[in-house]
Amino acid sequence: MDNKHQALAKIRLDKWLWAARFYRTRTLAKEAIESGRVHYGGSRVKTSKEIAVGDELTIRQGSATAMTEKTVIVEALSAQRGNAAAAQVLYSETEESETRRAYYAEQRKLANLARPDNKPNKKERRDLQRFKSKQD
């Protein structure tokens, strides 16, 4: 770690989330915090909450159908946004969080297996409509 990461004792939560590349802009990080998608110590926090190394955060990201929840430990602080490799140094994900995310990803894959690989063509659509109209 370089001096930029060690010099800070505490940093605003929204700034750290942006620097760690969880959100593309500080405004998006602020909105996520205000809407309750970021928890500190199991409870909602304010955007201006100052975090330090060793703090545990729970971050929910994604859409309603593909929501992922990460529990991360703050490993370093930075007020500057760097590349992805620099962002990876700022936090570590807990093992429990990694296994939970892998489980939910597997469940989403299994749910998608019920869908056909391609859309029905014109003849198949007509056959389906005939079949459905006979059922009624």
Side-chain angles (χ1 to χ4, degrees):
M1 284 189 286
D2 56 13
N3 289 338
K4 276 190 270 183
H5 297 304
Q6 291 176 335
L8 304 167
K10 289 192 172 206
I11 190 171
R12 284 175 57 110
L13 180 58
D14 62 335
K15 195 176 261 194
W16 185 85
L17 287 169
W18 168 76
R21 292 185 158 265
F22 283 105
Y23 298 100
R24 242 186 346 226
T25 64
R26 281 194 49 198
T27 305
L28 289 174
K30 177 179 175 267
E31 289 169 2
I33 295 166
E34 288 172 350
S35 63
R37 291 194 298 266
V38 179
H39 289 157
Y40 172 86
S43 58
R44 290 176 71 160
V45 290
K46 290 186 176 178
T47 308
S48 60
K49 170 75 177 155
E50 298 220 320
I51 60 168
V53 173
D55 290 347
E56 186 174 299
L57 303 171
T58 305
I59 304 161
R60 282 190 316 214
Q61 289 179 294
S63 63
T65 54
M67 183 71 73
T68 58
E69 186 174 283
K70 290 181 182 176
T71 304
V72 297
I73 308 292
V74 177
E75 298 290 340
L77 302 175
S78 175
Q80 288 186 321
R81 185 175 168 103
N83 60 19
Q88 290 277 301
V89 175
L90 300 179
Y91 65 91
S92 63
E93 189 173 359
T94 62
E95 269 188 51
E96 178 189 312
S97 173
E98 285 176 4
T99 54
R100 188 179 32 192
R101 277 192 321 118
Y103 170 76
Y104 285 123
E106 187 67 30
Q107 293 301 310
R108 280 196 300 274
K109 280 182 190 170
L110 292 173
N112 280 337
L113 291 178
R115 291 193 181 130
D117 291 335
N118 55 355
K119 289 171 35 175
N121 62 26
K122 194 170 184 176
K123 182 185 183 309
E124 291 167 339
R125 272 197 311 276
R126 286 180 178 160
D127 291 344
L128 279 169
Q129 286 171 344
R130 269 191 225 111
F131 178 73
K132 286 179 180 178
S133 64
K134 285 181 185 175
Q135 297 296 315
D136 295 333

PDB file of all heavy atoms in Angstrom, residues 116-130:
ATOM      1  N   PRO A 116     -36.776 -21.572 -22.960  1.00  0.00           N
ATOM      2  CA  PRO A 116     -36.229 -22.167 -24.183  1.00  0.00           C
ATOM      3  C   PRO A 116     -35.049 -21.344 -24.704  1.00  0.00           C
ATOM      4  O   PRO A 116     -34.920 -20.163 -24.398  1.00  0.00           O
ATOM      5  CB  PRO A 116     -37.404 -22.114 -25.159  1.00  0.00           C
ATOM      6  CG  PRO A 116     -38.318 -21.076 -24.624  1.00  0.00           C
ATOM      7  CD  PRO A 116     -38.112 -21.029 -23.140  1.00  0.00           C
ATOM      8  N   ASP A 117     -34.214 -21.988 -25.491  1.00  0.00           N
ATOM      9  CA  ASP A 117     -33.028 -21.309 -26.026  1.00  0.00           C
ATOM     10  C   ASP A 117     -33.366 -20.265 -27.080  1.00  0.00           C
ATOM     11  O   ASP A 117     -32.653 -19.295 -27.261  1.00  0.00           O
ATOM     12  CB  ASP A 117     -32.058 -22.330 -26.620  1.00  0.00           C
ATOM     13  CG  ASP A 117     -31.420 -23.192 -25.546  1.00  0.00           C
ATOM     14  OD1 ASP A 117     -31.341 -22.722 -24.392  1.00  0.00           O
ATOM     15  OD2 ASP A 117     -31.002 -24.316 -25.869  1.00  0.00           O
ATOM     16  N   ASN A 118     -34.460 -20.506 -27.828  1.00  0.00           N
ATOM     17  CA  ASN A 118     -34.805 -19.552 -28.878  1.00  0.00           C
ATOM     18  C   ASN A 118     -36.305 -19.265 -28.860  1.00  0.00           C
ATOM     19  O   ASN A 118     -37.085 -20.013 -28.284  1.00  0.00           O
ATOM     20  CB  ASN A 118     -34.377 -20.091 -30.247  1.00  0.00           C
ATOM     21  CG  ASN A 118     -34.959 -21.467 -30.518  1.00  0.00           C
ATOM     22  OD1 ASN A 118     -35.600 -22.056 -29.654  1.00  0.00           O
ATOM     23  ND2 ASN A 118     -34.727 -21.993 -31.700  1.00  0.00           N
ATOM     24  N   LYS A 119     -36.692 -18.185 -29.528  1.00  0.00           N
ATOM     25  CA  LYS A 119     -38.102 -17.827 -29.610  1.00  0.00           C
ATOM     26  C   LYS A 119     -38.801 -18.751 -30.597  1.00  0.00           C
ATOM     27  O   LYS A 119     -38.185 -19.197 -31.570  1.00  0.00           O
ATOM     28  CB  LYS A 119     -38.227 -16.366 -30.072  1.00  0.00           C
ATOM     29  CG  LYS A 119     -37.806 -15.390 -29.009  1.00  0.00           C
ATOM     30  CD  LYS A 119     -37.702 -13.953 -29.452  1.00  0.00           C
ATOM     31  CE  LYS A 119     -38.670 -13.462 -30.467  1.00  0.00           C
ATOM     32  NZ  LYS A 119     -38.550 -12.016 -30.726  1.00  0.00           N
ATOM     33  N   PRO A 120     -40.100 -19.021 -30.392  1.00  0.00           N
ATOM     34  CA  PRO A 120     -40.810 -19.858 -31.359  1.00  0.00           C
ATOM     35  C   PRO A 120     -40.948 -19.138 -32.700  1.00  0.00           C
ATOM     36  O   PRO A 120     -41.133 -17.921 -32.740  1.00  0.00           O
ATOM     37  CB  PRO A 120     -42.180 -20.081 -30.712  1.00  0.00           C
ATOM     38  CG  PRO A 120     -42.305 -19.064 -29.653  1.00  0.00           C
ATOM     39  CD  PRO A 120     -40.933 -18.649 -29.258  1.00  0.00           C
ATOM     40  N   ASN A 121     -40.853 -19.905 -33.785  1.00  0.00           N
ATOM     41  CA  ASN A 121     -41.034 -19.294 -35.105  1.00  0.00           C
ATOM     42  C   ASN A 121     -42.530 -19.137 -35.388  1.00  0.00           C
ATOM     43  O   ASN A 121     -43.371 -19.473 -34.556  1.00  0.00           O
ATOM     44  CB  ASN A 121     -40.316 -20.100 -36.190  1.00  0.00           C
ATOM     45  CG  ASN A 121     -40.852 -21.501 -36.319  1.00  0.00           C
ATOM     46  OD1 ASN A 121     -42.021 -21.765 -35.992  1.00  0.00           O
ATOM     47  ND2 ASN A 121     -40.003 -22.418 -36.777  1.00  0.00           N
ATOM     48  N   LYS A 122     -42.840 -18.646 -36.572  1.00  0.00           N
ATOM     49  CA  LYS A 122     -44.230 -18.314 -36.891  1.00  0.00           C
ATOM     50  C   LYS A 122     -45.151 -19.535 -36.782  1.00  0.00           C
ATOM     51  O   LYS A 122     -46.229 -19.455 -36.186  1.00  0.00           O
ATOM     52  CB  LYS A 122     -44.295 -17.743 -38.310  1.00  0.00           C
ATOM     53  CG  LYS A 122     -45.590 -17.060 -38.648  1.00  0.00           C
ATOM     54  CD  LYS A 122     -45.440 -16.334 -39.971  1.00  0.00           C
ATOM     55  CE  LYS A 122     -46.677 -15.552 -40.305  1.00  0.00           C
ATOM     56  NZ  LYS A 122     -46.499 -14.770 -41.531  1.00  0.00           N
ATOM     57  N   LYS A 123     -44.710 -20.669 -37.300  1.00  0.00           N
ATOM     58  CA  LYS A 123     -45.528 -21.887 -37.252  1.00  0.00           C
ATOM     59  C   LYS A 123     -45.728 -22.343 -35.804  1.00  0.00           C
ATOM     60  O   LYS A 123     -46.829 -22.709 -35.391  1.00  0.00           O
ATOM     61  CB  LYS A 123     -44.881 -22.990 -38.083  1.00  0.00           C
ATOM     62  CG  LYS A 123     -45.714 -24.276 -38.127  1.00  0.00           C
ATOM     63  CD  LYS A 123     -44.983 -25.368 -38.859  1.00  0.00           C
ATOM     64  CE  LYS A 123     -45.800 -26.633 -38.986  1.00  0.00           C
ATOM     65  NZ  LYS A 123     -46.376 -27.124 -37.751  1.00  0.00           N
ATOM     66  N   GLU A 124     -44.654 -22.323 -35.014  1.00  0.00           N
ATOM     67  CA  GLU A 124     -44.740 -22.746 -33.610  1.00  0.00           C
ATOM     68  C   GLU A 124     -45.646 -21.811 -32.810  1.00  0.00           C
ATOM     69  O   GLU A 124     -46.393 -22.272 -31.937  1.00  0.00           O
ATOM     70  CB  GLU A 124     -43.329 -22.793 -32.998  1.00  0.00           C
ATOM     71  CG  GLU A 124     -42.466 -23.911 -33.562  1.00  0.00           C
ATOM     72  CD  GLU A 124     -40.998 -23.785 -33.198  1.00  0.00           C
ATOM     73  OE1 GLU A 124     -40.552 -22.668 -32.864  1.00  0.00           O
ATOM     74  OE2 GLU A 124     -40.305 -24.814 -33.248  1.00  0.00           O
ATOM     75  N   ARG A 125     -45.598 -20.509 -33.111  1.00  0.00           N
ATOM     76  CA  ARG A 125     -46.483 -19.558 -32.420  1.00  0.00           C
ATOM     77  C   ARG A 125     -47.943 -19.860 -32.723  1.00  0.00           C
ATOM     78  O   ARG A 125     -48.790 -19.858 -31.828  1.00  0.00           O
ATOM     79  CB  ARG A 125     -46.159 -18.122 -32.838  1.00  0.00           C
ATOM     80  CG  ARG A 125     -45.093 -17.461 -32.002  1.00  0.00           C
ATOM     81  CD  ARG A 125     -45.080 -15.953 -32.155  1.00  0.00           C
ATOM     82  NE  ARG A 125     -45.095 -15.475 -33.526  1.00  0.00           N
ATOM     83  CZ  ARG A 125     -44.019 -15.339 -34.300  1.00  0.00           C
ATOM     84  NH1 ARG A 125     -42.837 -15.669 -33.826  1.00  0.00           N
ATOM     85  NH2 ARG A 125     -44.118 -14.879 -35.527  1.00  0.00           N
ATOM     86  N   ARG A 126     -48.242 -20.139 -33.991  1.00  0.00           N
ATOM     87  CA  ARG A 126     -49.623 -20.467 -34.379  1.00  0.00           C
ATOM     88  C   ARG A 126     -50.084 -21.749 -33.692  1.00  0.00           C
ATOM     89  O   ARG A 126     -51.223 -21.835 -33.219  1.00  0.00           O
ATOM     90  CB  ARG A 126     -49.723 -20.615 -35.893  1.00  0.00           C
ATOM     91  CG  ARG A 126     -49.671 -19.277 -36.604  1.00  0.00           C
ATOM     92  CD  ARG A 126     -49.771 -19.470 -38.085  1.00  0.00           C
ATOM     93  NE  ARG A 126     -49.778 -18.186 -38.777  1.00  0.00           N
ATOM     94  CZ  ARG A 126     -49.476 -18.021 -40.038  1.00  0.00           C
ATOM     95  NH1 ARG A 126     -49.133 -19.055 -40.797  1.00  0.00           N
ATOM     96  NH2 ARG A 126     -49.520 -16.816 -40.585  1.00  0.00           N
ATOM     97  N   ASP A 127     -49.187 -22.737 -33.644  1.00  0.00           N
ATOM     98  CA  ASP A 127     -49.533 -23.991 -32.959  1.00  0.00           C
ATOM     99  C   ASP A 127     -49.810 -23.745 -31.474  1.00  0.00           C
ATOM    100  O   ASP A 127     -50.754 -24.311 -30.910  1.00  0.00           O
ATOM    101  CB  ASP A 127     -48.412 -25.021 -33.120  1.00  0.00           C
ATOM    102  CG  ASP A 127     -48.284 -25.537 -34.547  1.00  0.00           C
ATOM    103  OD1 ASP A 127     -49.232 -25.339 -35.347  1.00  0.00           O
ATOM    104  OD2 ASP A 127     -47.230 -26.133 -34.862  1.00  0.00           O
ATOM    105  N   LEU A 128     -48.994 -22.900 -30.846  1.00  0.00           N
ATOM    106  CA  LEU A 128     -49.201 -22.571 -29.432  1.00  0.00           C
ATOM    107  C   LEU A 128     -50.536 -21.859 -29.227  1.00  0.00           C
ATOM    108  O   LEU A 128     -51.277 -22.157 -28.282  1.00  0.00           O
ATOM    109  CB  LEU A 128     -48.065 -21.670 -28.914  1.00  0.00           C
ATOM    110  CG  LEU A 128     -46.771 -22.361 -28.518  1.00  0.00           C
ATOM    111  CD1 LEU A 128     -45.665 -21.339 -28.284  1.00  0.00           C
ATOM    112  CD2 LEU A 128     -46.979 -23.194 -27.271  1.00  0.00           C
ATOM    113  N   GLN A 129     -50.845 -20.909 -30.125  1.00  0.00           N
ATOM    114  CA  GLN A 129     -52.119 -20.181 -30.004  1.00  0.00           C
ATOM    115  C   GLN A 129     -53.305 -21.120 -30.185  1.00  0.00           C
ATOM    116  O   GLN A 129     -54.286 -21.034 -29.453  1.00  0.00           O
ATOM    117  CB  GLN A 129     -52.174 -19.043 -31.025  1.00  0.00           C
ATOM    118  CG  GLN A 129     -51.272 -17.882 -30.646  1.00  0.00           C
ATOM    119  CD  GLN A 129     -51.145 -16.849 -31.759  1.00  0.00           C
ATOM    120  OE1 GLN A 129     -51.475 -17.125 -32.906  1.00  0.00           O
ATOM    121  NE2 GLN A 129     -50.646 -15.677 -31.390  1.00  0.00           N
ATOM    122  N   ARG A 130     -53.210 -22.058 -31.142  1.00  0.00           N
ATOM    123  CA  ARG A 130     -54.282 -23.043 -31.343  1.00  0.00           C
ATOM    124  C   ARG A 130     -54.446 -23.909 -30.100  1.00  0.00           C
ATOM    125  O   ARG A 130     -55.555 -24.171 -29.644  1.00  0.00           O
ATOM    126  CB  ARG A 130     -53.971 -23.922 -32.550  1.00  0.00           C
ATOM    127  CG  ARG A 130     -54.532 -23.386 -33.822  1.00  0.00           C
ATOM    128  CD  ARG A 130     -54.447 -24.397 -34.953  1.00  0.00           C
ATOM    129  NE  ARG A 130     -53.954 -23.684 -36.128  1.00  0.00           N
ATOM    130  CZ  ARG A 130     -52.761 -23.847 -36.683  1.00  0.00           C
ATOM    131  NH1 ARG A 130     -51.924 -24.751 -36.218  1.00  0.00           N
ATOM    132  NH2 ARG A 130     -52.406 -23.129 -37.715  1.00  0.00           N
TER     133      ARG A 130
END
